């Protein structure tokens, strides 16, 4: 905008109009997600708050065990346990509402089932992927979503004199990144292919974290693949001779 002296709506409107004119070939108009996606997002966010509240009460019980005498401890334990039980019920209620919303939309329900067919990805991560990609319409490739999630590695170099270590960016959606990390850990435990890959790569001396990140990206790629081809994930390894 350059140096500006003073401010007026007329001047601001002119700057906005010039910007739009210059960028008209690059700008993509925003399309609001359909109502079911908006409702899913609200419920998903609410469930996340309830889970955080439950975790806080569980932590409090442990804290009281360390500082309160055994005689008075039962009062704190009983009170917090009742609140945790109440939160468990509320979380289950929200999950049922999420399930109802998914079942009302055939396309989203199909995506949900397809993503859940991938070993390592659970129900909540499947819902998160649907919400954040707006039914897999917001990102045209898994690599772009990996960049958004903070799992895509980027080079760190300048000319020929400096070549730093390739690393992921701190600019990320921390929520989905955390979920994908948990999914990668589960995949290493229960997917023969992922377990073999993890052991082989770390056995070669490669970083455990970089290997885990590769698995996170594999899971993202598989989620986009099953949705794009509209078929469940097939574990080819179990058919190997």
């Amino acid at each position: 905008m350059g140096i500006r002296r003073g401010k007026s709506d007329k001047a601001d409107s002119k700057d906005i109009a010039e910007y739009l004119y210059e960028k008209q070939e690059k700008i993509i108009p925003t399309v609001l997600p359909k109502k079911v996606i908006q409702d899913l997002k609200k419920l998903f966010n609410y469930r996340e708050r309830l889970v955080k509240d439950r975790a806080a009460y569980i932590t409090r019980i442990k804290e009281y065990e360390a500082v309160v005498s055994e005689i008075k401890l039962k009062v704190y334990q009983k009170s917090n346990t009742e609140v945790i039980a109440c939160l468990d019920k509320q979380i289950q209620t929200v999950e049922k509402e999420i399930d109802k919303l998914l079942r009302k939309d055939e396309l989203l329900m199909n995506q949900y089932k397809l993503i859940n067919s991938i070993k390592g990805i659970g129900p909540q991560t499947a819902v998160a992927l649907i919400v954040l990609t707006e039914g897999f319409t917001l990102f045209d490739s898994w690599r772009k979503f990996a960049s958004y999630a903070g799992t895509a590695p980027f080079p760190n170099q300048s000319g020929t004199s400096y070549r730093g270590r390739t690393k992921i960016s701190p600019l990320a959606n921390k929520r989905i990144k955390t979920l994908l990390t948990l999914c990668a850990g589960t995949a290493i435990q229960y997917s023969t292919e992922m377990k073999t890959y993890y052991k082989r790569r770390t056995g070669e001396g490669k970083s455990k974290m970089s290997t885990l990140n590769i698995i996170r990206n594999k899971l993202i790629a598989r989620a986009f693949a099953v949705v794009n081809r509209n078929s469940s994930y097939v574990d080819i390894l179990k058919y190997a001779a």
Side-chain angles (χ1 to χ4, degrees):
M1 287 170 59
I3 299 172
R4 294 288 300 273
R5 294 176 177 82
K7 183 186 185 310
S8 70
D9 291 343
K10 187 176 180 180
D12 290 343
S13 299
K14 179 176 175 291
D15 289 329
I16 292 169
E18 286 181 352
Y19 176 83
L20 291 170
Y21 181 79
E22 291 172 1
K23 305 290 182 182
Q24 60 183 318
E25 293 181 1
K26 293 182 178 180
I27 291 175
I28 301 172
T30 299
V31 179
L32 290 176
K34 53 187 179 179
K35 190 175 184 304
V36 64
I37 293 285
Q38 294 179 41
D39 292 339
L40 268 176
K41 186 176 183 180
K42 290 172 186 174
L43 283 172
F44 180 76
N45 289 338
Y46 182 53
R47 181 193 176 276
E48 197 168 64
R49 289 181 185 178
L50 291 174
V51 170
K52 285 181 179 178
D53 289 342
R54 181 179 61 182
Y57 278 98
I58 291 171
T59 303
R60 284 175 193 173
I61 291 176
K62 294 178 182 178
E63 290 173 351
Y64 289 134
E65 288 174 352
V67 298
V68 179
S69 62
E70 288 187 18
I71 299 172
K72 296 181 180 179
L73 182 60
K74 291 181 180 179
V75 177
Y76 294 98
Q77 286 178 329
K78 185 176 182 295
S79 176
N80 282 273
T81 302
E82 287 176 357
V83 175
I84 291 167
C86 180
L87 287 169
D88 283 335
K89 288 181 181 179
Q90 294 301 317
I91 291 168
Q92 288 174 7
T93 301
V94 173
E95 288 175 351
K96 286 178 182 177
E97 287 299 316
I98 289 173
D99 187 62
K100 283 181 185 178
L101 274 178
L102 287 170
R103 292 183 185 280
K104 285 181 181 178
D105 192 295
E106 188 178 344
L107 177 63
L108 295 184
M109 190 63 197
N110 184 50
Q111 290 179 352
Y112 178 77
K113 289 178 179 177
L114 292 172
I115 299 168
N116 269 300
S117 69
I118 303 167
K119 279 189 177 180
I121 297 182
Q124 296 310 315
T125 305
V127 173
L129 288 170
I130 291 170
V131 167
L132 294 174
T133 62
E134 294 181 5
F136 288 82
T137 61
L138 202 58
F139 300 87
D140 55 18
S141 73
W142 72 266
R143 287 183 175 84
K144 287 184 179 180
F145 184 77
S147 178
Y148 168 77
T151 61
F154 290 94
N156 184 25
Q157 62 184 51
S158 178
T160 57
S161 60
Y162 175 75
R163 290 186 178 274
R165 184 168 59 89
T166 299
K167 56 186 179 181
I168 58 177
S169 171
L171 298 173
N173 183 315
K174 301 292 173 40
R175 176 172 55 177
I176 189 62
K177 188 176 181 180
T178 301
L179 285 173
L180 288 168
T181 302
L182 295 172
C183 289
T186 303
I188 291 168
Q189 286 183 309
Y190 298 103
S191 171
T192 306
E193 180 189 353
M194 294 297 190
K195 185 188 291 185
T196 304
Y197 176 79
Y198 182 81
K199 286 183 177 179
R200 177 176 61 78
R201 199 170 188 276
T202 53
E204 293 171 355
K206 301 292 176 65
S207 165
K208 289 183 179 180
M209 196 59 227
S210 69
T211 306
L212 194 70
N213 190 60
I214 291 171
I215 293 172
R216 288 191 298 200
N217 284 320
K218 283 178 179 288
L219 292 176
I220 295 172
R222 288 178 181 182
F224 272 75
V226 295
V227 170
N228 289 335
R229 69 168 184 251
N230 194 29
S231 61
S232 299
Y233 177 73
V234 179
D235 188 1
I236 302 174
L237 193 64
K238 69 179 181 181
Y239 295 107

